[in-house]
Structure formats: structure tokens, C-alpha cells
Amino acid sequence: DTNPQLIRRSLERRWDVDDIASIGWQEVEIRKTGEGFDVQAAYDVERPFVANVYLLTKFDKLVTIQQ
């Protein structure tokens, strides 16, 4: 049976193995829905490119985990 704690533990393990640094697993939103759980990660990453030019990447992904 899926629950928010199980989802968070799974995310934490994945973050550790894949060495993800752009967003922390704590920043992923988990919401209960009628179908299960919506898991959403939304964040921006800004990195220097050349001189005073930066690249900005916006990421927003929503996944529904069926229960």
C-alpha cells in the first residue's frame, strides 16, 4: 500500500544513488488525490554560461501514482 512516507523514502534513496543536487527530495510535493498520489517537482536551475550570460532551465513534472 502506497503512502507519502514510502514515496519520500523512495525519492531519498534515488537522490542519494543518482547524486541529484538541483532539487532536494524534500522539495517534491506529494498530494493525496482520489486516484492515489500526485507527485510534483517544479524548480529552476540557473548556471553561468559565458562571461555575464547565464542559462536558465525550468522544470515542472507531475506524476500520478495509482493506489
Side-chain angles (χ1 to χ4, degrees), residues 6 20 65:
L6 183 62
I20 298 170
I65 299 175

Side-chain angles (χ1 to χ4, degrees), residues 38-52:
D38 281 349
V39 180
Q40 184 173 18
Y43 63 97
D44 298 342
V45 177
E46 185 178 293
R47 297 283 188 256
F49 182 59
V50 176
N52 64 344

